[in-house]
Amino acid sequence: MDYQFTIIVPLYNEEENLLRVEKELGNYLQKAPVRSCVLFVNDGSTDNSLQLVEEISARNKDFKFISFQENRGLSAAIKAGFDYAETPLIGYIDSDLQTDPEDFDLLLEHIGEYDLVTGLRANRKDSFKKNMSSLIANGIRRSFTHDGMDDTGCPLKVIKADYAKRIPMFKGLHRFLPAMILLQKGKIKQVPVRHYPRIAGKAKFHLLNRLVGPFVDCFAYLWMKSNYINYTVNRKNE
């Protein structure tokens, strides 16, 4: 198939959500503005998730999957999605569907001019503790990266593949995708999107890894920024 857009769906123990993911993303693929496919990345789930994604992929020609031998974390799952996608555009959505696949259209409207377009969760439907920890974590990250983004944790993004595949991912770097595009001299934009409460499964992040993890990762980002290799070839022989 001549796909233009791959939607990465990283997942870890999300068996309660996957049939809903199949339905919602299947509906979206039928009306997406560009020819699109779905790539599940099973992050070493210990429940029935792998069997479900195998079954979903078997009965839907536009759904594919890869599966880790063991749990490696969200950044690794996103990195694998970037590596295995074969389209010029790559998207990302969480398997809990707290964001709406149809809002990819809002991001795709701007991807021609920008190299990464990320959602900004409007009227977040999370708990007060989760919202506050995210607000603090985003403030810490923004003070280090100066990326101007208010909600890098929003699980709805569209990235040009040539930029995505050049990101040197490390654990926790999924929080710094806009900043990593800026290091490549790319252009970024945030667009308000809808947000819904989680209705099945369990959240994988808690107060500690929403605050301590991002703070520590900021120093890793600063090291990477100071050592990042970025070049442009303007002449070569034919």
Side-chain angles (χ1 to χ4, degrees):
M1 289 289 183
D2 186 21
Y3 297 112
Q4 288 84 48
F5 182 41
T6 299
I7 300 171
I8 299 168
V9 184
L11 61 108
Y12 176 66
N13 291 349
E14 291 286 359
E15 62 181 2
E16 297 175 57
N17 283 308
L18 290 176
L19 294 180
R20 188 165 64 97
V21 171
E22 177 187 20
K23 178 182 177 182
E24 295 297 327
L25 282 176
N27 289 338
Y28 176 71
L29 295 184
Q30 295 180 26
K31 53 189 175 184
V34 294
R35 184 80 172 117
S36 305
C37 62
V38 173
L39 176 61
F40 288 114
V41 182
N42 176 45
D43 184 18
S45 295
T46 57
D47 64 358
N48 200 40
S49 293
L50 177 56
Q51 181 178 339
L52 283 171
V53 297
E54 289 177 335
E55 293 171 355
I56 292 169
S57 299
R59 60 179 174 253
N60 296 278
K61 60 182 176 57
D62 298 326
F63 284 69
K64 311 295 180 184
F65 78 92
I66 58 176
S67 182
F68 289 174
Q69 182 175 350
E70 58 187 1
N71 178 247
R72 303 304 295 168
L74 180 57
S75 290
I78 294 174
K79 164 67 171 168
F82 289 168
D83 290 344
Y84 279 81
E86 299 177 344
T87 53
L89 296 176
I90 300 174
Y92 154 52
I93 190 170
D94 272 355
S95 53
D96 59 19
L97 290 185
Q98 287 192 255
T99 50
D100 195 320
E102 291 191 1
D103 284 350
F104 274 125
D105 289 1
L106 301 176
L107 310 188
L108 288 166
E109 286 180 14
H110 302 279
I111 198 61
E113 181 181 356
Y114 294 89
D115 304 300
L116 176 146
V117 185
T118 182
L120 170 63
R121 289 169 287 190
N123 302 313
R124 284 187 64 173
K125 299 300 189 293
D126 289 322
S127 68
F128 175 79
K129 182 172 70 173
K130 185 175 180 180
N131 286 339
M132 285 304 298
S133 62
S134 294
L135 182 65
I136 294 169
N138 272 299
I140 294 171
R141 175 202 45 75
R142 195 165 51 245
S143 69
F144 277 78
T145 64
H146 306 289
D147 60 11
M149 298 288 103
D150 299 308
D151 185 18
T152 60
C154 179
L156 197 76
K157 292 178 172 62
V158 175
I159 311 175
K160 289 178 179 174
D162 55 344
Y163 282 83
K165 291 178 182 291
R166 290 197 299 263
I167 295 175
M169 295 286 281
F170 60 82
K171 187 176 181 180
L173 197 63
H174 62 275
R175 304 180 181 98
F176 295 85
L177 293 179
M180 295 308 298
I181 300 302
L182 290 178
L183 284 185
Q184 299 180 47
K185 308 301 181 185
K187 297 174 64 178
I188 61 177
K189 183 179 180 64
Q190 58 185 0
V191 175
V193 297
R194 291 169 287 183
H195 189 247
Y196 306 101
R198 177 185 269 270
I199 63 174
K202 296 181 179 179
K204 308 305 185 291
F205 292 91
H206 48 74
L207 184 61
L208 184 64
N209 59 23
R210 282 199 187 95
L211 292 179
V212 177
F215 180 71
V216 173
D217 291 341
C218 283
F219 292 97
Y221 165 79
L222 290 181
W223 178 89
M224 179 172 289
K225 181 180 180 180
S226 66
N227 292 277
Y228 185 72
I229 295 173
N230 190 42
Y231 64 87
T232 303
V233 174
N234 64 354
R235 293 184 65 184
K236 66 177 183 178
N237 69 315
E238 298 299 330

